[in-house]
Amino acid sequence: MNRESQKQRAITVFTDFLSTPLEKQLERHLNTSSESAVMALFQDVAANVPAYKAFLAEREINPHAIQTLEDFQTLPAIAKENYISRYPLADLCRYGQLETCDMIAASSGSTGKPTFWPRFFTDELQIATRFEQIFHDSFYADTRRTLAVICFTLGTWVGGMFTTNCCRYVASKGYPLTVITPGNNKEEILRVVQELGGNFQQVVLLGYPPFLKDVIDTGIARGVEWGQYQIKLVMAGEVFSEEWRSLVGERIGSQNPCYDLASLYGTADAGALANETPLTICIRRFLAENPDAAKALFGESRLPTLLQYDPIQRFFEVEDGTLLFSGNNGIPLIRYNILDNGGLISYDAMVKFLAEWGFNPVADLQKARGIHQLPFVYVFGRSNFTVSYFGANIYPENVSVGLEQPIIQEWVTGKFVLQVKEDTDKNRCLSIVVELAPGIEASKDKQETIASSILSQLLRLNGEFANYVPPEYQTPQVALAPTGDAEYFPIGVKHRYTRK
């Protein structure tokens, strides 16, 4: 691709973004087949992305033979291990040209070595529509002077810069929206809100759920009256309960949790894939109060995040309970396994199911905004034994290294259980229960030494942990259990290193 065609692509896509009303953008799937869109994307990627060409050739797959959706669904899924990490970065981009991307973000892997994700300006515009959907439908930001405070980590990490850019694109569309970027600096966030918030009709904080709660609680302890700023929240990275939403909503003075706090389903790999809407939140709150209905719908007693997505921009599939998606990005992805457990529900199927349980969310909302006939995706979280903490993926491998240090390795078997726990005030901590070796007794000194070792390795190996998690929440709460502990380390049972 030459410079002129790159410029024309930017002009065309940005003009379309600026000139297309949100409502019309969200209705495109009604007139365009999502199947035809994903098939066109596949043929384009198979023809123009060197890495995907090689991926298919190695498996003796002729892309011209992929003519139907049934054919498409026979294609092997791609993932970091079999695709992203196997080919040069440039070969993952169209025409093998890394220079056609104008931005690169990083995400941590299990070894701490970052994965780089290039993208171009036009890739961000399709994600900006997800932000526009929240700002327009939930916050009425087209009619209210709004300050957007970016509380995601800045730098190479994907959240902060991506969110900043998308919010500015929404502002360029005519929204009275102003952006400021304190990042995850809590003191700066509090200063910004108190000094600037009075100039706006509402203030939106965008960040990871536990971090935003920490900011809000710290503000309350210092006498900040959040209610005067008409606070709204945009979150990403973690599943949280409706009790959490209600508690935090109450602390910011929210009168309507369906419209004041919304979450994105986002990833470094491809930006925002889906978003909560007033409709999904209304439905989820009903399901939280009706666990039998939730279990009938999702097949599990735990409540996943429930979102809606644009099937033209992101084509989802479910394979063995795991979500796959295809989408256009700096690195285009075809049937990409993001390692999230979840599922899909059509709009009509959702309405029908809820009617059978005597619930009509559209009537319950009593508002026109936030109700679109888009399909639903639900997400339980990572299936690869990671846990999400302040938006950072914590890997068992990182913890193992902390237990393999001199002296410590003589005390422990190497088994542990990693989980994120929540106290009665909905604050989170990283809990690690470690199995002691036979004949070794627990002590406070051992507990503190192990916690310190794990923390040092997490900081060394996991860039997301080091950058996303505030220092006061980084030290894990370590508990020591005897060999074969019935609750955590039962003998004769295959061990799982994480609990959700």
Side-chain angles (χ1 to χ4, degrees), residues 182-210:
N184 62 343
N185 182 327
K186 186 164 61 174
E187 296 300 324
E188 187 68 359
I189 293 165
L190 293 170
R191 186 179 74 85
V192 160
V193 172
Q194 292 176 93
E195 292 191 19
L196 294 178
N199 297 298
F200 298 86
Q201 291 170 291
Q202 61 183 356
V203 174
V204 180
L205 305 179
L206 302 98
Y208 296 113

PDB file of all heavy atoms in Angstrom, residues 182-210:
ATOM      1  N   PRO A 182      -4.986  11.772  33.210  1.00  0.00           N
ATOM      2  CA  PRO A 182      -4.122  11.542  34.376  1.00  0.00           C
ATOM      3  C   PRO A 182      -3.599  10.113  34.467  1.00  0.00           C
ATOM      4  O   PRO A 182      -2.700   9.826  35.247  1.00  0.00           O
ATOM      5  CB  PRO A 182      -5.043  11.856  35.560  1.00  0.00           C
ATOM      6  CG  PRO A 182      -6.415  11.576  35.045  1.00  0.00           C
ATOM      7  CD  PRO A 182      -6.386  11.988  33.596  1.00  0.00           C
ATOM      8  N   GLY A 183      -4.158   9.205  33.653  1.00  0.00           N
ATOM      9  CA  GLY A 183      -3.747   7.807  33.741  1.00  0.00           C
ATOM     10  C   GLY A 183      -4.144   7.217  35.082  1.00  0.00           C
ATOM     11  O   GLY A 183      -5.119   7.648  35.690  1.00  0.00           O
ATOM     12  N   ASN A 184      -3.369   6.236  35.558  1.00  0.00           N
ATOM     13  CA  ASN A 184      -3.741   5.607  36.831  1.00  0.00           C
ATOM     14  C   ASN A 184      -3.021   6.257  38.014  1.00  0.00           C
ATOM     15  O   ASN A 184      -2.618   5.591  38.968  1.00  0.00           O
ATOM     16  CB  ASN A 184      -3.487   4.094  36.795  1.00  0.00           C
ATOM     17  CG  ASN A 184      -2.025   3.753  36.586  1.00  0.00           C
ATOM     18  OD1 ASN A 184      -1.239   4.595  36.172  1.00  0.00           O
ATOM     19  ND2 ASN A 184      -1.658   2.509  36.869  1.00  0.00           N
ATOM     20  N   ASN A 185      -2.896   7.580  37.950  1.00  0.00           N
ATOM     21  CA  ASN A 185      -2.327   8.369  39.043  1.00  0.00           C
ATOM     22  C   ASN A 185      -3.495   8.871  39.893  1.00  0.00           C
ATOM     23  O   ASN A 185      -4.180   9.827  39.530  1.00  0.00           O
ATOM     24  CB  ASN A 185      -1.513   9.538  38.471  1.00  0.00           C
ATOM     25  CG  ASN A 185      -0.850  10.376  39.547  1.00  0.00           C
ATOM     26  OD1 ASN A 185      -1.381  10.540  40.640  1.00  0.00           O
ATOM     27  ND2 ASN A 185       0.312  10.923  39.220  1.00  0.00           N
ATOM     28  N   LYS A 186      -3.733   8.213  41.004  1.00  0.00           N
ATOM     29  CA  LYS A 186      -4.924   8.492  41.816  1.00  0.00           C
ATOM     30  C   LYS A 186      -4.966   9.940  42.294  1.00  0.00           C
ATOM     31  O   LYS A 186      -6.030  10.586  42.247  1.00  0.00           O
ATOM     32  CB  LYS A 186      -4.978   7.521  42.996  1.00  0.00           C
ATOM     33  CG  LYS A 186      -6.244   7.628  43.819  1.00  0.00           C
ATOM     34  CD  LYS A 186      -6.435   6.411  44.718  1.00  0.00           C
ATOM     35  CE  LYS A 186      -5.326   6.229  45.708  1.00  0.00           C
ATOM     36  NZ  LYS A 186      -5.583   5.132  46.662  1.00  0.00           N
ATOM     37  N   GLU A 187      -3.832  10.466  42.751  1.00  0.00           N
ATOM     38  CA  GLU A 187      -3.809  11.848  43.243  1.00  0.00           C
ATOM     39  C   GLU A 187      -4.174  12.830  42.139  1.00  0.00           C
ATOM     40  O   GLU A 187      -4.908  13.796  42.359  1.00  0.00           O
ATOM     41  CB  GLU A 187      -2.426  12.187  43.814  1.00  0.00           C
ATOM     42  CG  GLU A 187      -2.037  11.368  45.028  1.00  0.00           C
ATOM     43  CD  GLU A 187      -3.012  11.559  46.187  1.00  0.00           C
ATOM     44  OE1 GLU A 187      -3.519  12.676  46.379  1.00  0.00           O
ATOM     45  OE2 GLU A 187      -3.278  10.561  46.897  1.00  0.00           O
ATOM     46  N   GLU A 188      -3.653  12.574  40.944  1.00  0.00           N
ATOM     47  CA  GLU A 188      -3.933  13.474  39.824  1.00  0.00           C
ATOM     48  C   GLU A 188      -5.401  13.386  39.401  1.00  0.00           C
ATOM     49  O   GLU A 188      -6.025  14.389  39.042  1.00  0.00           O
ATOM     50  CB  GLU A 188      -3.009  13.135  38.653  1.00  0.00           C
ATOM     51  CG  GLU A 188      -3.080  14.100  37.477  1.00  0.00           C
ATOM     52  CD  GLU A 188      -2.530  15.479  37.779  1.00  0.00           C
ATOM     53  OE1 GLU A 188      -2.091  15.748  38.923  1.00  0.00           O
ATOM     54  OE2 GLU A 188      -2.549  16.323  36.865  1.00  0.00           O
ATOM     55  N   ILE A 189      -5.968  12.182  39.462  1.00  0.00           N
ATOM     56  CA  ILE A 189      -7.380  12.013  39.112  1.00  0.00           C
ATOM     57  C   ILE A 189      -8.251  12.839  40.059  1.00  0.00           C
ATOM     58  O   ILE A 189      -9.153  13.571  39.633  1.00  0.00           O
ATOM     59  CB  ILE A 189      -7.788  10.529  39.186  1.00  0.00           C
ATOM     60  CG1 ILE A 189      -7.080   9.717  38.101  1.00  0.00           C
ATOM     61  CG2 ILE A 189      -9.305  10.368  39.042  1.00  0.00           C
ATOM     62  CD1 ILE A 189      -7.140   8.213  38.324  1.00  0.00           C
ATOM     63  N   LEU A 190      -7.985  12.729  41.364  1.00  0.00           N
ATOM     64  CA  LEU A 190      -8.772  13.473  42.347  1.00  0.00           C
ATOM     65  C   LEU A 190      -8.617  14.975  42.156  1.00  0.00           C
ATOM     66  O   LEU A 190      -9.585  15.734  42.276  1.00  0.00           O
ATOM     67  CB  LEU A 190      -8.350  13.058  43.765  1.00  0.00           C
ATOM     68  CG  LEU A 190      -8.699  11.613  44.153  1.00  0.00           C
ATOM     69  CD1 LEU A 190      -8.022  11.224  45.461  1.00  0.00           C
ATOM     70  CD2 LEU A 190     -10.200  11.417  44.255  1.00  0.00           C
ATOM     71  N   ARG A 191      -7.396  15.419  41.852  1.00  0.00           N
ATOM     72  CA  ARG A 191      -7.171  16.852  41.615  1.00  0.00           C
ATOM     73  C   ARG A 191      -7.928  17.335  40.387  1.00  0.00           C
ATOM     74  O   ARG A 191      -8.586  18.387  40.414  1.00  0.00           O
ATOM     75  CB  ARG A 191      -5.668  17.118  41.438  1.00  0.00           C
ATOM     76  CG  ARG A 191      -5.320  18.597  41.327  1.00  0.00           C
ATOM     77  CD  ARG A 191      -3.824  18.784  41.181  1.00  0.00           C
ATOM     78  NE  ARG A 191      -3.364  18.422  39.848  1.00  0.00           N
ATOM     79  CZ  ARG A 191      -3.391  19.254  38.802  1.00  0.00           C
ATOM     80  NH1 ARG A 191      -3.864  20.481  38.919  1.00  0.00           N
ATOM     81  NH2 ARG A 191      -2.939  18.860  37.628  1.00  0.00           N
ATOM     82  N   VAL A 192      -7.846  16.554  39.312  1.00  0.00           N
ATOM     83  CA  VAL A 192      -8.517  16.912  38.057  1.00  0.00           C
ATOM     84  C   VAL A 192     -10.024  17.050  38.260  1.00  0.00           C
ATOM     85  O   VAL A 192     -10.647  18.027  37.830  1.00  0.00           O
ATOM     86  CB  VAL A 192      -8.219  15.842  36.978  1.00  0.00           C
ATOM     87  CG1 VAL A 192      -9.234  15.894  35.857  1.00  0.00           C
ATOM     88  CG2 VAL A 192      -6.813  16.023  36.427  1.00  0.00           C
ATOM     89  N   VAL A 193     -10.616  16.064  38.914  1.00  0.00           N
ATOM     90  CA  VAL A 193     -12.075  16.094  39.104  1.00  0.00           C
ATOM     91  C   VAL A 193     -12.487  17.305  39.928  1.00  0.00           C
ATOM     92  O   VAL A 193     -13.443  18.017  39.587  1.00  0.00           O
ATOM     93  CB  VAL A 193     -12.560  14.786  39.768  1.00  0.00           C
ATOM     94  CG1 VAL A 193     -14.033  14.891  40.154  1.00  0.00           C
ATOM     95  CG2 VAL A 193     -12.361  13.600  38.823  1.00  0.00           C
ATOM     96  N   GLN A 194     -11.764  17.568  41.010  1.00  0.00           N
ATOM     97  CA  GLN A 194     -12.165  18.657  41.898  1.00  0.00           C
ATOM     98  C   GLN A 194     -11.913  20.033  41.283  1.00  0.00           C
ATOM     99  O   GLN A 194     -12.684  20.971  41.508  1.00  0.00           O
ATOM    100  CB  GLN A 194     -11.432  18.523  43.238  1.00  0.00           C
ATOM    101  CG  GLN A 194     -11.893  17.302  44.033  1.00  0.00           C
ATOM    102  CD  GLN A 194     -11.103  17.125  45.317  1.00  0.00           C
ATOM    103  OE1 GLN A 194     -11.504  17.607  46.367  1.00  0.00           O
ATOM    104  NE2 GLN A 194      -9.977  16.436  45.223  1.00  0.00           N
ATOM    105  N   GLU A 195     -10.855  20.163  40.499  1.00  0.00           N
ATOM    106  CA  GLU A 195     -10.538  21.473  39.934  1.00  0.00           C
ATOM    107  C   GLU A 195     -11.271  21.761  38.627  1.00  0.00           C
ATOM    108  O   GLU A 195     -11.561  22.908  38.313  1.00  0.00           O
ATOM    109  CB  GLU A 195      -9.023  21.611  39.733  1.00  0.00           C
ATOM    110  CG  GLU A 195      -8.254  21.665  41.044  1.00  0.00           C
ATOM    111  CD  GLU A 195      -6.802  22.054  40.854  1.00  0.00           C
ATOM    112  OE1 GLU A 195      -6.471  22.631  39.787  1.00  0.00           O
ATOM    113  OE2 GLU A 195      -6.003  21.789  41.765  1.00  0.00           O
ATOM    114  N   LEU A 196     -11.579  20.712  37.860  1.00  0.00           N
ATOM    115  CA  LEU A 196     -12.199  20.923  36.552  1.00  0.00           C
ATOM    116  C   LEU A 196     -13.659  20.497  36.481  1.00  0.00           C
ATOM    117  O   LEU A 196     -14.400  20.963  35.629  1.00  0.00           O
ATOM    118  CB  LEU A 196     -11.411  20.159  35.478  1.00  0.00           C
ATOM    119  CG  LEU A 196      -9.982  20.613  35.196  1.00  0.00           C
ATOM    120  CD1 LEU A 196      -9.336  19.707  34.152  1.00  0.00           C
ATOM    121  CD2 LEU A 196      -9.956  22.062  34.724  1.00  0.00           C
ATOM    122  N   GLY A 197     -14.049  19.573  37.367  1.00  0.00           N
ATOM    123  CA  GLY A 197     -15.378  18.983  37.267  1.00  0.00           C
ATOM    124  C   GLY A 197     -16.515  19.981  37.273  1.00  0.00           C
ATOM    125  O   GLY A 197     -17.535  19.791  36.594  1.00  0.00           O
ATOM    126  N   GLY A 198     -16.360  21.074  38.011  1.00  0.00           N
ATOM    127  CA  GLY A 198     -17.415  22.083  38.101  1.00  0.00           C
ATOM    128  C   GLY A 198     -17.698  22.798  36.794  1.00  0.00           C
ATOM    129  O   GLY A 198     -18.743  23.471  36.654  1.00  0.00           O
ATOM    130  N   ASN A 199     -16.789  22.688  35.813  1.00  0.00           N
ATOM    131  CA  ASN A 199     -16.995  23.342  34.514  1.00  0.00           C
ATOM    132  C   ASN A 199     -17.859  22.514  33.566  1.00  0.00           C
ATOM    133  O   ASN A 199     -18.158  22.959  32.460  1.00  0.00           O
ATOM    134  CB  ASN A 199     -15.634  23.595  33.838  1.00  0.00           C
ATOM    135  CG  ASN A 199     -14.773  24.548  34.636  1.00  0.00           C
ATOM    136  OD1 ASN A 199     -15.135  25.696  34.842  1.00  0.00           O
ATOM    137  ND2 ASN A 199     -13.637  24.058  35.114  1.00  0.00           N
ATOM    138  N   PHE A 200     -18.237  21.320  34.003  1.00  0.00           N
ATOM    139  CA  PHE A 200     -18.961  20.400  33.122  1.00  0.00           C
ATOM    140  C   PHE A 200     -20.249  19.930  33.780  1.00  0.00           C
ATOM    141  O   PHE A 200     -20.416  20.013  34.996  1.00  0.00           O
ATOM    142  CB  PHE A 200     -18.061  19.202  32.773  1.00  0.00           C
ATOM    143  CG  PHE A 200     -16.818  19.583  32.028  1.00  0.00           C
ATOM    144  CD1 PHE A 200     -15.675  19.972  32.713  1.00  0.00           C
ATOM    145  CD2 PHE A 200     -16.801  19.585  30.639  1.00  0.00           C
ATOM    146  CE1 PHE A 200     -14.526  20.347  32.027  1.00  0.00           C
ATOM    147  CE2 PHE A 200     -15.659  19.964  29.944  1.00  0.00           C
ATOM    148  CZ  PHE A 200     -14.517  20.347  30.634  1.00  0.00           C
ATOM    149  N   GLN A 201     -21.156  19.427  32.944  1.00  0.00           N
ATOM    150  CA  GLN A 201     -22.423  18.913  33.466  1.00  0.00           C
ATOM    151  C   GLN A 201     -22.305  17.483  33.966  1.00  0.00           C
ATOM    152  O   GLN A 201     -23.154  17.013  34.720  1.00  0.00           O
ATOM    153  CB  GLN A 201     -23.496  19.000  32.369  1.00  0.00           C
ATOM    154  CG  GLN A 201     -23.894  20.440  32.037  1.00  0.00           C
ATOM    155  CD  GLN A 201     -24.772  20.506  30.805  1.00  0.00           C
ATOM    156  OE1 GLN A 201     -24.308  20.254  29.689  1.00  0.00           O
ATOM    157  NE2 GLN A 201     -26.035  20.844  31.002  1.00  0.00           N
ATOM    158  N   GLN A 202     -21.262  16.787  33.528  1.00  0.00           N
ATOM    159  CA  GLN A 202     -21.004  15.436  34.045  1.00  0.00           C
ATOM    160  C   GLN A 202     -19.531  15.102  33.843  1.00  0.00           C
ATOM    161  O   GLN A 202     -18.861  15.650  32.967  1.00  0.00           O
ATOM    162  CB  GLN A 202     -21.895  14.398  33.356  1.00  0.00           C
ATOM    163  CG  GLN A 202     -21.707  14.266  31.862  1.00  0.00           C
ATOM    164  CD  GLN A 202     -22.675  13.279  31.228  1.00  0.00           C
ATOM    165  OE1 GLN A 202     -23.454  12.618  31.892  1.00  0.00           O
ATOM    166  NE2 GLN A 202     -22.629  13.183  29.917  1.00  0.00           N
ATOM    167  N   VAL A 203     -19.040  14.188  34.688  1.00  0.00           N
ATOM    168  CA  VAL A 203     -17.652  13.730  34.604  1.00  0.00           C
ATOM    169  C   VAL A 203     -17.667  12.211  34.450  1.00  0.00           C
ATOM    170  O   VAL A 203     -18.313  11.508  35.225  1.00  0.00           O
ATOM    171  CB  VAL A 203     -16.858  14.112  35.867  1.00  0.00           C
ATOM    172  CG1 VAL A 203     -15.454  13.508  35.837  1.00  0.00           C
ATOM    173  CG2 VAL A 203     -16.797  15.637  36.012  1.00  0.00           C
ATOM    174  N   VAL A 204     -16.965  11.726  33.433  1.00  0.00           N
ATOM    175  CA  VAL A 204     -16.889  10.284  33.172  1.00  0.00           C
ATOM    176  C   VAL A 204     -15.493   9.795  33.534  1.00  0.00           C
ATOM    177  O   VAL A 204     -14.496  10.311  33.019  1.00  0.00           O
ATOM    178  CB  VAL A 204     -17.189   9.959  31.692  1.00  0.00           C
ATOM    179  CG1 VAL A 204     -17.099   8.455  31.448  1.00  0.00           C
ATOM    180  CG2 VAL A 204     -18.561  10.491  31.285  1.00  0.00           C
ATOM    181  N   LEU A 205     -15.420   8.815  34.434  1.00  0.00           N
ATOM    182  CA  LEU A 205     -14.151   8.173  34.766  1.00  0.00           C
ATOM    183  C   LEU A 205     -14.049   6.872  33.986  1.00  0.00           C
ATOM    184  O   LEU A 205     -14.961   6.041  34.034  1.00  0.00           O
ATOM    185  CB  LEU A 205     -14.067   7.873  36.266  1.00  0.00           C
ATOM    186  CG  LEU A 205     -14.274   9.053  37.236  1.00  0.00           C
ATOM    187  CD1 LEU A 205     -14.172   8.561  38.676  1.00  0.00           C
ATOM    188  CD2 LEU A 205     -13.269  10.163  36.977  1.00  0.00           C
ATOM    189  N   LEU A 206     -12.948   6.675  33.262  1.00  0.00           N
ATOM    190  CA  LEU A 206     -12.758   5.473  32.455  1.00  0.00           C
ATOM    191  C   LEU A 206     -11.554   4.706  32.974  1.00  0.00           C
ATOM    192  O   LEU A 206     -10.432   5.229  32.982  1.00  0.00           O
ATOM    193  CB  LEU A 206     -12.549   5.841  30.973  1.00  0.00           C
ATOM    194  CG  LEU A 206     -13.681   6.639  30.316  1.00  0.00           C
ATOM    195  CD1 LEU A 206     -13.350   8.134  30.302  1.00  0.00           C
ATOM    196  CD2 LEU A 206     -13.940   6.175  28.884  1.00  0.00           C
ATOM    197  N   GLY A 207     -11.780   3.455  33.447  1.00  0.00           N
ATOM    198  CA  GLY A 207     -10.681   2.683  34.002  1.00  0.00           C
ATOM    199  C   GLY A 207     -11.120   1.287  34.402  1.00  0.00           C
ATOM    200  O   GLY A 207     -12.250   0.863  34.135  1.00  0.00           O
ATOM    201  N   TYR A 208     -10.200   0.553  35.073  1.00  0.00           N
ATOM    202  CA  TYR A 208     -10.505  -0.801  35.522  1.00  0.00           C
ATOM    203  C   TYR A 208     -11.360  -0.736  36.782  1.00  0.00           C
ATOM    204  O   TYR A 208     -11.138   0.121  37.651  1.00  0.00           O
ATOM    205  CB  TYR A 208      -9.217  -1.583  35.766  1.00  0.00           C
ATOM    206  CG  TYR A 208      -8.428  -1.781  34.501  1.00  0.00           C
ATOM    207  CD1 TYR A 208      -7.196  -1.166  34.313  1.00  0.00           C
ATOM    208  CD2 TYR A 208      -8.942  -2.560  33.469  1.00  0.00           C
ATOM    209  CE1 TYR A 208      -6.487  -1.329  33.133  1.00  0.00           C
ATOM    210  CE2 TYR A 208      -8.238  -2.731  32.285  1.00  0.00           C
ATOM    211  CZ  TYR A 208      -7.021  -2.106  32.116  1.00  0.00           C
ATOM    212  OH  TYR A 208      -6.337  -2.254  30.948  1.00  0.00           O
ATOM    213  N   PRO A 209     -12.346  -1.621  36.924  1.00  0.00           N
ATOM    214  CA  PRO A 209     -13.317  -1.516  38.020  1.00  0.00           C
ATOM    215  C   PRO A 209     -12.715  -1.366  39.420  1.00  0.00           C
ATOM    216  O   PRO A 209     -13.087  -0.428  40.141  1.00  0.00           O
ATOM    217  CB  PRO A 209     -14.141  -2.806  37.875  1.00  0.00           C
ATOM    218  CG  PRO A 209     -14.042  -3.156  36.436  1.00  0.00           C
ATOM    219  CD  PRO A 209     -12.660  -2.739  36.009  1.00  0.00           C
ATOM    220  N   PRO A 210     -11.798  -2.239  39.860  1.00  0.00           N
ATOM    221  CA  PRO A 210     -11.308  -2.086  41.237  1.00  0.00           C
ATOM    222  C   PRO A 210     -10.529  -0.801  41.444  1.00  0.00           C
ATOM    223  O   PRO A 210     -10.553  -0.226  42.534  1.00  0.00           O
ATOM    224  CB  PRO A 210     -10.431  -3.328  41.450  1.00  0.00           C
ATOM    225  CG  PRO A 210     -10.081  -3.794  40.087  1.00  0.00           C
ATOM    226  CD  PRO A 210     -11.215  -3.415  39.198  1.00  0.00           C
TER     227      PRO A 210
END
